Amino acid sequence: GQPAAATLAATPSAPATLSAMPPVAATVRVQVGAFADPANARAAAQTLGRFGAVSLEPVTRGDQTLWRVVVAAPPGEDGPTLAGALAGAGFPGARLLP
């Protein structure tokens, strides 16, 4: 199975926080970046909600855990369009996930 992911939850009176839950299920998912510092991953994720559902997924590389920021495309949006929009928003490394 896939490792647990974290998604951002925010209320009008509280800042976004991480909560563990499965990765967002979608047919089109775009990785925006992978960050060693979870605070940097959260900061990136907080700017991306307008593009679709955002998740933070832990990925282990050797002895290091990276936090992968992933955006799931809204219904009807294709991967290249979403990746292009994310690149235009300041994330030039956005790439489609298999």
Side-chain angles (χ1 to χ4, degrees):
Q2 293 185 344
T7 59
L8 292 176
T11 63
S13 61
T17 57
L18 285 174
S19 62
M21 61 187 302
V24 175
T27 55
V28 177
R29 295 174 1 114
V30 176
Q31 177 177 317
V32 182
F35 301 86
D37 184 344
N40 290 341
R42 280 190 299 273
Q46 288 176 335
T47 68
L48 298 170
R50 70 180 190 268
F51 294 102
V54 180
S55 64
L56 300 176
E57 302 172 7
V59 178
T60 302
R61 299 274 189 251
D63 62 349
Q64 182 179 28
T65 298
L66 298 175
W67 289 92
R68 181 165 67 178
V69 178
V70 177
V71 177
E77 184 162 5
D78 63 56
T81 299
L82 177 59
L86 291 164
F91 296 93
R95 65 180 180 89
L96 290 171
L97 291 175

